[in-house]
Amino acid sequence: MQVLDGKTVAHAVKQEIKEKLINFKKNGGKTPHLAAVLVGNDGASETYVASKIKNCEEIGFKSTLIRFEENVGEDELLHTITVLNENVDIDGILVQLPLPKHIKEEKVINLINPDKDVDGFHPSNVGRLVQGLPAFIAATPYGIMLMLKHYQIETTGKHAVVIGRSNIVGRPMSILLSQNMPYGNCTVTLCHSKTKNLKAMCLQADIIVAALGKPEFLTGDMVKENAIVIDVGINRVKDDSKKKGYHLVGDVKYDEVAPKCSYISPVPGGVGLMTIAALLLNTFNASVRNRKLID
Ligand code: NDP
């Protein structure tokens, strides 16, 4: 069994970006600039955004954090997106989800200029992804593809089961794994909460991507020998022995599943780190692209 080490792969991706950035700047490119919009005080969202900003700093990008109170009006948020769209110094825009219930996420995402949509959630980027055209790809599934590539995991002809069909993880993941591309080319089954006999589906899978948000859902008896298991879940489990009052677990019962796997990604230390690396790569590519558009 080999652990898919997010720390190692994310480091390699970031090193590559740093090298490209040096060349980009030598050739007159400017420092890539990410704008992150955060609404409210949700603990997990705060942590994710802080980590994205910190990573921007570490890699030599500019970042701007725009914070709003939980009760910000939809119009004010939309106005901010318009201003960021028009600001030529901003290359990438991300709006940390989820947004409060009174704001329509779809409206906000659809307003982001697709050329700055480094989260890859805009319908234009999703459509391009479906058609196999160059697109900003949602950072988590993109990060998983970078991980498969790093470990040169053969996927062609394999049966992949993706559990979860959200627009940000499961659905784009299923599209990427089914594309006629290296590190795709699987036969994909996309499962969700209405899937009947999920265990039987999983037992047929060569690759399982667990992205449902249920702590330790995927157990040892659901996985066949030598399967490749990618754990996307980030679940906080109450733990009074920890200073924070919780610890993190994935959607996979690691101790049971890992011994059966050929490869498995851990939580923490797996996909979460790849998500940030992929976001940085998208931001760098946005900067390169925006420069071409401006020149
Ligand atoms: P969503 O809640 O948006 O989607 C969950 C999906 O899982 C839905 O499609 C749902 O089905 C399906 N599902 C729920 N329960 C079951 C079940 N019992 N059996 C089968 N399918 C089920 O979650 P996200 O996609 O946003 O996130 C999934 C997990 O990944 C979460 O733990 C989240 O924290 C984590 N995450 C991690 C990231 C990272 O960087 N590592 C980034 C983003 C998310 P239905 O559609 O029928 O409701």
Side-chain angles (χ1 to χ4, degrees), residues 57-100:
E57 276 167 21
E58 279 171 11
I59 205 169
F61 290 1
K62 262 166 68 177
S63 62
T64 299
L65 172 60
I66 299 152
R67 294 200 67 144
F68 290 103
E69 296 294 331
E70 182 85 16
N71 61 359
V72 63
E74 189 178 85
D75 284 349
E76 192 179 345
L77 193 55
L78 292 172
H79 174 71
T80 301
I81 300 295
T82 305
V83 171
L84 293 172
N85 280 341
E86 286 167 3
N87 183 343
V88 289
D89 190 50
I90 301 283
D91 300 296
I93 302 169
L94 78 81
V95 177
Q96 187 64 40
L97 301 181
L99 291 171

Side-chain angles (χ1 to χ4, degrees), residues 265-281:
S265 71
V267 175
V271 172
L273 300 171
M274 291 311 302
T275 298
I276 292 186
L279 172 74
L280 296 172
L281 193 50

